[in-house]
Amino acid sequence: YGQNFPNGFAQRAKAVGAAVQIAWEPNHGLGLVADDAYLQGFARAAASAGLPVFLRFASEMNGDWTAWSGDPARYIAAWRTVAEVMHRLAPNVAMVWAPNAVPEHNITDYYPGDEWVDWVGVNSYTVHHHDNDINQPALREDPSDALKFVYKTYSERKPIMVCETAVTHHCRACGEDVIDFAMDKTAQLYGALPRRYPRLKAICWYDIDNLNN
């Protein structure tokens, strides 16, 4: 939040007939979010881009690792400000509200309301060991279970998106490649989605080197 709309990225996507998902993060806090020239300019630029934009504003708000967590009322007010401007000035923008899959206990506290949310998303990752701890293996976990709470809570009212997901293929805890694990869990996830979550309409793979970043 504070940067210009990524028009070059959007135009490259438009040229190949794609939509874009933008993770828009108020890393300096929610106090900067206002119906001002910056927000309106971003919305107009998004509208001018001429392609579908999934705007994932301030996701993972239920986790204490984000700068916008901890105050649901303030979060909801900021979200509604952004949503109102986008709905008014950029009808090609879908507002995607996306908690992390965990923790679950406070997810609903941050929901801005049906009229302010177009899609509901969820971020979820499948790891070989939790927290890089050799004493916390995750081999037997079903990756599709992570979607259960968000899907059950919101899918009757909103289309669902997996905004970020990936599977470990090199495990820091055990210090080795786990390619077979990654292949098995990826197949398990994609195989379960149509059966368990028929209102899941989009899934985005998140590719990053977390060992060196």
Side-chain angles (χ1 to χ4, degrees), residues 59-81:
S59 64
E60 300 188 6
M61 74 303 293
N62 56 316
D64 59 9
W65 53 86
T66 64
W68 47 89
S69 67
D71 188 338
R74 191 177 191 189
Y75 174 90
I76 289 171
W79 174 280
R80 290 179 176 180
T81 295

Side-chain angles (χ1 to χ4, degrees), residues 1-168:
Y1 197 91
Q3 296 181 5
N4 293 329
F5 180 81
N7 191 60
F9 166 62
Q11 293 309 308
R12 291 191 296 273
K14 182 179 179 180
V16 295
V20 297
Q21 179 197 164
I22 297 173
W24 206 22
E25 300 181 342
N27 289 309
H28 299 290
L30 294 170
L32 296 180
V33 179
D35 185 355
D36 56 13
Y38 167 70
L39 180 56
Q40 293 170 23
F42 193 98
R44 291 190 176 97
S48 297
L51 80 169
V53 176
F54 294 95
L55 190 60
R56 179 164 51 100
F57 174 70
S59 64
E60 300 188 6
M61 74 303 293
N62 56 316
D64 59 9
W65 53 86
T66 64
W68 47 89
S69 67
D71 188 338
R74 191 177 191 189
Y75 174 90
I76 289 171
W79 174 280
R80 290 179 176 180
T81 295
V82 173
E84 193 282 325
V85 171
M86 293 300 156
H87 289 162
R88 172 163 45 94
L89 299 179
N92 59 314
V93 171
M95 292 293 296
V96 183
W97 180 78
N100 200 62
V102 291
E104 293 180 352
H105 68 89
N106 61 344
I107 286 178
T108 58
D109 295 343
Y110 288 90
Y111 188 61
D114 286 352
E115 68 179 292
W116 305 98
V117 173
D118 300 311
W119 287 53
V120 170
V122 60
N123 296 351
S124 172
Y125 292 89
T126 303
V127 297
H128 197 255
H129 286 80
H130 290 290
D131 299 325
N132 298 316
D133 184 348
I134 197 66
N135 296 311
Q136 297 188 60
L139 305 182
R140 297 182 181 275
E141 295 177 5
D142 183 339
S144 67
D145 284 343
L147 283 64
K148 188 185 303 183
F149 179 85
V150 166
Y151 187 88
K152 181 179 179 181
T153 305
Y154 299 105
S155 66
E156 290 186 358
R157 292 127 62 195
K158 299 294 175 181
I160 304 298
M161 171 189 291
V162 176
C163 300
E164 295 181 14
T165 194
V167 180
T168 298

